[in-house]
């Protein structure tokens, strides 16, 4: 993962060591930031679209995979690419 800090007029990039849990490489994933976390959902991976949900703690820079409790197949969003997400009113 690369973290980009914008300091005008140049970009400063630093490589972050990967932790034990991290998302698979995807394109077209959706992400939003709120409550000290960045949430990452879906996207297109090498074998097709995914419906994984991860969150990155912006303080410790550690990933956590979020799994629904007692969920059935009908409770989980279908795999998707280029979805939209937002964080509003702490939800």
């Amino acid at each position: 993962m690369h973290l980009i800090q914008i300091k005008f007029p140049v970009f400063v990039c630093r490589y972050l060591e990967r932790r034990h849990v991290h998302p698979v490489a995807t394109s077209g994933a959706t992400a939003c930031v709120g409550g000290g976390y960045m949430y990452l959902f879906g996207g297109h991976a090498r074998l097709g679209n995914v419906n994984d949900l991860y969150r990155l703690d912006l303080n410790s820079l550690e990933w956590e995979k979020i799994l629904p409790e007692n969920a059935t197949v009908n409770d989980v969003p279908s795999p998707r690419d280029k979805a939209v997400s937002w964080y509003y009113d702490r939800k």
Side-chain angles (χ1 to χ4, degrees), residues 8 10 17 21 38 58 61 64 69 74 85 87 90:
F8 294 101
V10 297
E17 180 182 335
V21 175
M38 180 183 75
L58 297 176
L61 299 177
E64 174 185 4
E69 295 180 13
N74 295 328
S85 62
Y87 184 82
R90 299 179 189 236

Side-chain angles (χ1 to χ4, degrees), residues 7-75:
K7 293 184 179 183
F8 294 101
V10 297
F11 290 96
V12 177
C13 297
R14 62 185 169 114
Y15 180 77
L16 302 176
E17 180 182 335
R18 290 186 177 191
R19 306 292 181 197
H20 297 296
V21 175
H22 58 83
V24 296
T26 59
S27 65
T30 184
C32 65
V33 174
Y37 295 96
M38 180 183 75
Y39 295 88
L40 181 73
F41 175 76
H44 185 80
R46 193 178 91 186
L47 298 176
N49 292 348
V50 295
N51 65 345
D52 298 330
L53 176 62
Y54 288 88
R55 76 177 182 181
L56 175 66
D57 184 316
L58 297 176
N59 292 312
S60 68
L61 299 177
E62 291 191 23
W63 287 100
E64 174 185 4
K65 185 171 184 175
I66 299 176
L67 300 170
E69 295 180 13
N70 303 319
T72 66
V73 172
N74 295 328
D75 296 328

